[in-house]
Amino acid sequence: MPTTRRNEPDACSLLDTDHRHVKKMFKTYGELAESRAASAEQKKRELANEICMELTIHAQIEEEIFYPALRAAIKETDLLDEAEVEHASAKELIAQIQNATEIDEKFDAKVIVLGEYIDHHVKEERNEMFVKARAARGLDLVAMREQLAQRKEELMEEFGATA
């Protein structure tokens, strides 16, 4: 029976783990948004804040480390330009969510739309960007994974989060 050897975890696998984690949080938020329980309001606020923090840190490590390295390693940079524009749009929504004084229908809509933006962004990264990154010559994604993990840890401490 043949055994499949898995490749060593790399930068793409670290970023994808973040993607899956945030997707679960958005799913939980969607369930809370449909809940009529009084306790759901506080839970939504806390979860929305956690989602925003995770996405802020994730975007920052991509922008500081992953995107510049990928931009230097591949010829077609349209994907990276689009990703940076998507990050900017997401950051605007994140700011609106974080600055909201009350949780109303618009608050839920903003979190849900943010989830849809992120879902679209993740699909492009997973299906196109990660494929190009793994095929790029001279890009050490295994070493980059360590850089990303270290920077993520620093940012989480800075934001007062727990890993």
Side-chain angles (χ1 to χ4, degrees):
M1 194 169 170
T3 57
T4 305
R5 291 187 57 163
R6 296 196 71 195
N7 291 338
E8 205 171 340
D10 64 10
C12 299
S13 57
L14 178 138
L15 295 171
D16 212 36
T17 297
D18 282 359
H19 294 157
R20 286 192 302 279
H21 176 63
V22 170
K23 187 172 180 80
K24 285 180 190 166
M25 288 194 290
F26 277 117
K27 186 177 186 293
T28 302
Y29 189 93
E31 292 162 3
L32 285 171
E34 292 177 14
S35 170
R36 296 289 162 237
S39 64
E41 295 301 299
Q42 184 60 32
K43 288 178 185 169
K44 284 195 301 190
R45 167 62 80 184
E46 290 168 7
L47 187 55
N49 287 340
E50 190 180 342
I51 288 168
C52 289
M53 184 204 55
E54 292 277 341
L55 289 174
T56 299
I57 291 170
H58 180 83
Q60 191 166 337
I61 66 172
E62 282 185 336
E63 291 167 7
E64 287 179 5
I65 300 166
F66 186 69
Y67 291 173
L70 191 54
R71 191 174 288 280
I74 64 173
K75 287 185 179 86
E76 298 170 44
T77 56
D78 293 3
L79 266 179
L80 291 160
D81 295 340
E82 288 175 29
E84 288 171 358
V85 170
E86 288 168 356
H87 276 199
S89 298
K91 287 175 188 174
E92 285 178 30
L93 262 181
I94 287 168
Q96 289 176 34
I97 292 164
Q98 289 175 323
N99 295 328
T101 52
E102 59 186 270
I103 297 181
D104 55 13
E105 302 79 33
K106 289 273 201 260
F107 186 88
D108 285 345
K110 287 173 184 175
V111 175
I112 289 163
V113 167
L114 179 61
E116 292 167 356
Y117 271 12
I118 299 305
D119 204 41
H120 167 81
H121 179 73
V122 165
K123 283 181 180 134
E124 283 188 347
E125 282 191 346
R126 189 178 287 153
N127 298 333
E128 297 175 55
M129 195 180 295
F130 292 172
V131 171
K132 287 183 180 184
R134 286 180 169 136
R137 294 185 186 269
L139 194 58
D140 187 346
L141 293 173
V142 175
M144 189 191 300
R145 181 185 196 286
E146 294 307 312
Q147 280 182 285
L148 290 168
Q150 184 179 349
R151 184 64 179 133
K152 181 178 175 182
E153 201 173 298
E154 290 168 7
L155 290 169
M156 290 187 93
E157 283 176 25
E158 223 173 273
F159 282 90
T162 53

